[in-house]
Amino acid sequence: MDNFFKKVNYSQSSSSNVNVNRSCLITNLDLGSLKADTGERRPISDYDPRIRDEVRIFYIEKGPCQPILKPYPSSEIGGRMCQFASSWFKVSHSTWLEYSVEKDVEYCLCCYLFKNEFVHETMGDFYASKDFRGWNKALERFRLHVGKVNSVHHKCYNKMLDLSNCRQSIQVVLDKHSEKSKNEYRMRLEASINVARLLLYYELPFRGHDESESSSNQGYFLGFLRWHGDNHPDVGKVILEKAPQNDTLTCPMIQKVIVNACAKETLKVIIADLNGDYFGILVDESKDILTANQQA
């Protein structure tokens, strides 16, 4: 068989194609450069995957390109003159049907936006992947394009609906937090950081033996935090029991994060003070009960 067929190194060729494709992707999004006319748009696959959703949202919010012309250009099909009809924009396919003035052809908005995610499947017909101009059989071709419930068009259309419903996105849920909630979170965080800095400065332990709400001695961290809230009513209204129970910023893990952050900032200050000069470290060593040397 080797005499008739030449072996191809698929791994080498595929990797080179990937590198070429990635280098050709558009990585910087300029909304002003996005064309409204469907015939002038760049394929959605030309954009970097990190900005494709932003491009899709732009076109979804803008809506399908449906210009009204009087009259539309005519083309001879089957021995008679035919042309696009604006009434097609008003029927069941009004949410996805597009018309290009530049090329005098039709497109599908949802398939343009999401068809690249289903390239492994059979596209099934015309302008899921390109334009269409068969005005004499337009309505019939529309039905063929839409297909059954599990068709590629329906999958693309459902994806377009999901993306247009921005209320489901995590970013929008986070943006819903009022400015008051953000300020209260900042006050809780600053209070925890200030108490941690005080304990670190005086080399005091953070934890208490019994940190339950009924304990009279919850440890220095919770004790000083409560004292801080008592002396600053605005802070006292948003910390400890008055804070959301999943956002108190007082758990041991949060305390360790604050301590590590303080240690890094302290190290930065020390390095800056040294200014590249030499320094020495004093190390004290003693033996423990197992006669093993321990450094301090």
Side-chain angles (χ1 to χ4, degrees):
M1 295 295 290
D2 293 339
N3 295 330
F4 299 96
F5 297 98
K6 182 179 179 180
K7 292 183 178 181
V8 178
N9 191 343
Y10 290 101
S11 60
Q12 184 177 359
S13 60
S14 61
S15 61
S16 61
N17 290 337
V18 170
N19 292 333
V20 172
N21 292 337
R22 287 181 177 176
S23 63
C24 296
L25 293 178
I26 300 174
T27 57
N28 296 323
L29 178 60
D30 179 15
L31 296 179
S33 65
L34 299 180
K35 303 295 184 180
D37 192 293
T38 52
E40 299 178 338
R41 294 176 189 169
R42 299 287 297 268
I44 200 72
S45 56
D46 285 359
Y47 296 95
D48 190 279
R50 292 171 293 183
I51 64 173
R52 282 179 189 170
D53 277 352
E54 296 182 54
V55 177
R56 288 165 174 156
I57 290 174
F58 174 83
Y59 282 120
I60 290 174
E61 291 179 349
K62 197 173 185 65
C65 180
Q66 299 178 343
I68 304 298
L69 304 181
K70 293 183 180 180
Y72 288 91
S74 300
S75 303
E76 184 176 354
I77 302 176
R80 61 191 183 94
M81 301 302 293
C82 301
Q83 64 182 16
F84 181 84
S86 60
S87 59
W88 297 336
F89 290 144
K90 302 177 182 179
V91 289
S92 58
H93 33 262
S94 60
T95 55
W96 55 264
L97 181 62
E98 296 189 298
Y99 175 81
S100 171
V101 178
E102 181 72 18
K103 295 185 177 181
D104 185 32
V105 292
E106 294 174 353
Y107 289 89
C108 174
L109 175 60
C110 56
C111 290
Y112 162 73
L113 297 176
F114 294 100
K115 65 182 174 60
N116 65 301
E117 297 189 9
F118 302 100
V119 293
H120 61 284
E121 301 186 30
T122 303
M123 298 308 292
D125 64 282
F126 50 104
Y127 58 95
S129 57
K130 57 182 180 180
D131 51 61
F132 166 69
R133 191 187 284 152
W135 311 134
N136 59 331
K137 298 182 179 180
L139 296 179
E140 179 184 350
R141 301 302 295 272
F142 292 164
R143 289 191 294 269
L144 290 174
H145 171 72
V146 172
K148 298 181 180 180
V149 178
N150 62 343
S151 67
V152 173
H153 170 84
H154 275 287
K155 293 178 181 179
C156 294
Y157 185 75
N158 290 333
K159 277 188 168 290
M160 185 175 71
L161 291 180
D162 291 340
L163 187 60
S164 63
N165 187 8
C166 295
R167 295 180 180 178
Q168 296 179 356
S169 68
I170 296 176
Q171 186 61 42
V172 173
V173 172
L174 293 176
D175 291 341
K176 280 185 177 180
H177 284 287
S178 63
E179 194 65 28
K180 179 182 176 182
S181 300
K182 294 178 181 179
N183 290 336
E184 290 178 352
Y185 175 84
R186 180 177 292 274
M187 292 173 66
R188 282 193 297 273
L189 180 60
E190 290 180 350
S192 295
I193 292 175
N194 290 335
V195 171
R197 291 177 61 188
L198 178 66
L199 298 180
L200 290 171
Y201 182 81
Y202 288 104
E203 301 180 4
L204 297 174
F206 280 57
R207 305 294 302 280
H209 180 68
D210 182 7
E211 295 185 345
S212 62
E213 295 183 5
S214 59
S215 174
S216 59
N217 185 4
Q218 296 180 315
Y220 285 119
F221 183 83
L222 294 179
F224 275 116
L225 187 61
R226 192 177 300 278
W227 174 85
H228 182 59
D230 292 341
N231 287 272
H232 299 83
D234 293 340
V235 178
K237 293 178 181 178
V238 298
I239 63 173
L240 297 174
E241 294 85 3
K242 297 181 181 179
Q245 294 305 301
N246 62 341
D247 194 20
T248 58
L249 300 178
T250 58
C251 69
M253 183 179 296
I254 296 295
Q255 296 176 26
K256 290 180 180 179
V257 171
I258 296 174
V259 170
N260 289 333
C262 291
K264 291 179 180 179
E265 292 300 318
T266 303
L267 185 59
K268 289 179 182 179
V269 173
I270 294 174
I271 294 175
D273 288 342
L274 290 173
N275 195 23
D277 199 359
Y278 294 101
F279 63 93
I281 300 177
L282 295 177
V283 179
D284 189 15
E285 187 179 87
S286 62
K287 293 183 179 181
D288 58 14
I289 192 172
L290 298 176
T291 67
N293 292 328
Q294 300 292 335
Q295 295 180 349

